[in-house]
Amino acid sequence: MVWPDARGNSKGQAIEPLFKSAPYAVRRDRELYAMLALVDAIRLGHPRESKLAAERLAEYLG
């Protein structure tokens, strides 16, 4: 899954980011990208994936 981005070069199933500015923001902040990727896994993944992503996000946030 990928966020639509005119400057992106990855291909995949397009999903809408939570915020329209997310593709721009993550180019400047790798940690933000990691956290938003986990949020997308929580909201769009299967139950097992969602649970694992939620656990990882909780660890990441401490």
Side-chain angles (χ1 to χ4, degrees), residues 21-54:
S21 61
Y24 171 75
V26 300
R27 283 195 293 270
R28 303 178 61 132
D29 189 338
R30 289 180 158 240
E31 290 185 28
L32 178 61
Y33 172 78
M35 288 187 280
L36 290 178
L38 289 170
V39 170
D40 281 344
I42 292 167
R43 72 184 180 113
L44 301 169
H46 296 289
R48 181 178 179 273
E49 296 162 343
S50 294
K51 182 179 183 237
L52 180 60

Side-chain angles (χ1 to χ4, degrees), residues 8-29:
N9 57 6
S10 297
K11 293 183 180 183
Q13 179 182 357
I15 61 167
E16 287 299 314
L18 288 174
F19 301 98
K20 291 183 187 227
S21 61
Y24 171 75
V26 300
R27 283 195 293 270
R28 303 178 61 132
D29 189 338

